[in-house]
Amino acid sequence: MIKSIQLLSKEINKNIDFTFVHDYKVLLDALEGDLSSFSLKIEFNCLIVSFRNHDYTWVDINQRRISNWYSPKLLKLENNQIVQSNQNIGIWDVNTNRKNILLWHFNPDNANPISSYDKSNSKNITQAVSKVNLDEPLSFLFSNHFGIEVSRSKFPFSAIACFTDHCDFDTLNNLIEQRHFFKEHNIKVTKGFFLNHYSKRKDTASIEFNKDEIEEWIKDGHELAYHSLSQSLKSQEESFIDFLSFKPPFENISTWIDHGFQPYNFTLSNCKDEIKDNYGNHLKERHINKLWSYIDSGTAVDGVINQINPNYFTLHSFYKGINHLGVKAVTSLMIKNIIFHYFNDDYGLSLYRQVANYVKTIKLKKSRIKHLYFAVNMIKLMVLFIPIILFWRFKRHKVYQLAEFAPVFFEHIINGKSFTVFQTLEMINFKRALSKNNLDLLIREKGLFIAHTYFSAPMNYHKGKLFDDDNDKIDSEVEERFKYLSQKINSKDIWNPTLKELITHMKKINHIVFDCNEKGEIFIINDYKLVSRQVK
């Protein structure tokens, strides 16, 4: 069974005592001290031979295995015993180099990441502020019979497809077109909206001018989400007045998705003295409790669709998904992917944006100093890529740091108030992202995505967008993709919840408690009406 247990944190490393309640249950002593971020190192007397994967299958230990809170906490030892924790919280981590060691992480770095921007709009990655809340003391259950796993989906052990749409390019006409399209195919969306009409484009949709149409989305079963408050930037003073005085246009709008660099954005709020001390209270008073982290795990391409499979979020997987394109497109997309996902730091992003801005305006007359700045920035950018090119064989399989633990959503405390922060999968090319092969892959892996989309994007360089090149009707090939998705939703191979429905349902997994009797039979104490099954 268990040989030893250690508590590891930045502040302290110590042994944890444990008690054999009976032959099949080991109870850990109460954990004391700072419970914000730590790991438990559990050493077994024999080797771990199998691990229950995120796709609800047994896999061997020939590579690192990760199980976040929404996946089974089950493994098999070489003595044929099944080991299960009494709670699904935290992250299990088994490494092929130490096959008798299980690491149980609680809030490790990059498991709950959030983008945070400073006063100069420089990006930093911070970690969510949260405490580890234990419904019961931690324990390990051993069985010669079976373990129990719980379905993430309302449809038993199915895939999950959730769409969160940014309304940057919504107009009254394309809003109506989108809504009719999704109604025809029975697709549900968490739809962003602008509350106020303040935009560089006269036809931008907003509650102020288009409230009746936006209300129709609620009637059709969609969820609405604030996309900040307006499309374009006002002065800081006007922006804060808008934020501090806005009232919900409808009941039960609980999701906020940051837009651009609005000064009252969640990801900017911590550096704004005018709002930071009461930001959480202000959102809660308006019934907002779900926030976007401003982070994508990666971009959906051929073969990359399952947000909870970290092995897909590598340079190798992305290259495989785009290598059918021409050299120019592949080069451009690889550079962007390396900057935004592989590095994902302000230094690389700043260099990339300066170079991209120069190229976009290359036809304009420029001073010699601007040519010099471009040359210097290009050299700096190339220096970033040299190690990747030289050591491609090793670098290509490295999982992006913000996808390592496959975050989906997690708790974050603001001004003493609890919020749920969610991470997304960027989805631009619907022809590729929602192809039959990708959706079948998602179904096989019982996978999940929370898509970050722009359904009304008009730019023709966005290949595979929802609307055709004339932007007046739905693209016929994209419609075929959504038809197939609709079929799989109707057959219950895929569950298509709104973000609110998804979070409300899946959060229950964190509170399920398992136990076992003196015969080694594992059972659930409080199932919260979630679907479960025995695993041998």
Side-chain angles (χ1 to χ4, degrees), residues 16 53 117 387 466 513:
I16 298 293
N53 207 18
Y117 293 88
L466 182 64
V513 177

PDB file of all heavy atoms in Angstrom, residues 16 53 117 387 466 513:
ATOM      1  N   ILE A  16       3.763  13.539   6.343  1.00  0.00           N
ATOM      2  CA  ILE A  16       2.373  13.541   6.781  1.00  0.00           C
ATOM      3  C   ILE A  16       2.036  12.158   7.330  1.00  0.00           C
ATOM      4  O   ILE A  16       2.250  11.149   6.655  1.00  0.00           O
ATOM      5  CB  ILE A  16       1.419  13.882   5.612  1.00  0.00           C
ATOM      6  CG1 ILE A  16       1.696  15.284   5.074  1.00  0.00           C
ATOM      7  CG2 ILE A  16      -0.047  13.752   6.031  1.00  0.00           C
ATOM      8  CD1 ILE A  16       1.379  16.392   6.032  1.00  0.00           C
ATOM      9  N   ASN A  53      -7.186   7.672 -17.490  1.00  0.00           N
ATOM     10  CA  ASN A  53      -6.930   8.876 -18.268  1.00  0.00           C
ATOM     11  C   ASN A  53      -8.158   9.790 -18.331  1.00  0.00           C
ATOM     12  O   ASN A  53      -9.267   9.400 -17.965  1.00  0.00           O
ATOM     13  CB  ASN A  53      -6.511   8.467 -19.689  1.00  0.00           C
ATOM     14  CG  ASN A  53      -5.640   9.496 -20.370  1.00  0.00           C
ATOM     15  OD1 ASN A  53      -5.051  10.360 -19.721  1.00  0.00           O
ATOM     16  ND2 ASN A  53      -5.553   9.424 -21.677  1.00  0.00           N
ATOM     17  N   TYR A 117      -2.741  42.694 -16.885  1.00  0.00           N
ATOM     18  CA  TYR A 117      -2.067  43.775 -17.606  1.00  0.00           C
ATOM     19  C   TYR A 117      -1.784  44.933 -16.660  1.00  0.00           C
ATOM     20  O   TYR A 117      -2.607  45.271 -15.798  1.00  0.00           O
ATOM     21  CB  TYR A 117      -2.935  44.249 -18.774  1.00  0.00           C
ATOM     22  CG  TYR A 117      -3.092  43.203 -19.854  1.00  0.00           C
ATOM     23  CD1 TYR A 117      -4.111  42.261 -19.787  1.00  0.00           C
ATOM     24  CD2 TYR A 117      -2.213  43.138 -20.924  1.00  0.00           C
ATOM     25  CE1 TYR A 117      -4.250  41.285 -20.767  1.00  0.00           C
ATOM     26  CE2 TYR A 117      -2.344  42.169 -21.906  1.00  0.00           C
ATOM     27  CZ  TYR A 117      -3.368  41.240 -21.821  1.00  0.00           C
ATOM     28  OH  TYR A 117      -3.486  40.277 -22.787  1.00  0.00           O
ATOM     29  N   PRO A 387      16.810  28.865 -30.719  1.00  0.00           N
ATOM     30  CA  PRO A 387      16.832  27.603 -29.963  1.00  0.00           C
ATOM     31  C   PRO A 387      15.768  26.608 -30.438  1.00  0.00           C
ATOM     32  O   PRO A 387      16.010  25.390 -30.423  1.00  0.00           O
ATOM     33  CB  PRO A 387      16.552  28.044 -28.519  1.00  0.00           C
ATOM     34  CG  PRO A 387      16.943  29.479 -28.477  1.00  0.00           C
ATOM     35  CD  PRO A 387      16.613  30.021 -29.828  1.00  0.00           C
ATOM     36  N   LEU A 466     -17.467  31.827 -40.291  1.00  0.00           N
ATOM     37  CA  LEU A 466     -18.867  31.411 -40.373  1.00  0.00           C
ATOM     38  C   LEU A 466     -19.551  31.959 -41.631  1.00  0.00           C
ATOM     39  O   LEU A 466     -20.270  31.233 -42.318  1.00  0.00           O
ATOM     40  CB  LEU A 466     -19.627  31.868 -39.128  1.00  0.00           C
ATOM     41  CG  LEU A 466     -21.098  31.461 -39.047  1.00  0.00           C
ATOM     42  CD1 LEU A 466     -21.248  29.948 -38.962  1.00  0.00           C
ATOM     43  CD2 LEU A 466     -21.778  32.135 -37.846  1.00  0.00           C
ATOM     44  N   VAL A 513     -17.910  12.898  -2.721  1.00  0.00           N
ATOM     45  CA  VAL A 513     -17.077  12.182  -1.739  1.00  0.00           C
ATOM     46  C   VAL A 513     -17.284  10.682  -1.916  1.00  0.00           C
ATOM     47  O   VAL A 513     -18.423  10.206  -1.964  1.00  0.00           O
ATOM     48  CB  VAL A 513     -17.428  12.603  -0.298  1.00  0.00           C
ATOM     49  CG1 VAL A 513     -16.592  11.792   0.703  1.00  0.00           C
ATOM     50  CG2 VAL A 513     -17.189  14.099  -0.104  1.00  0.00           C
TER      51      VAL A 513
END
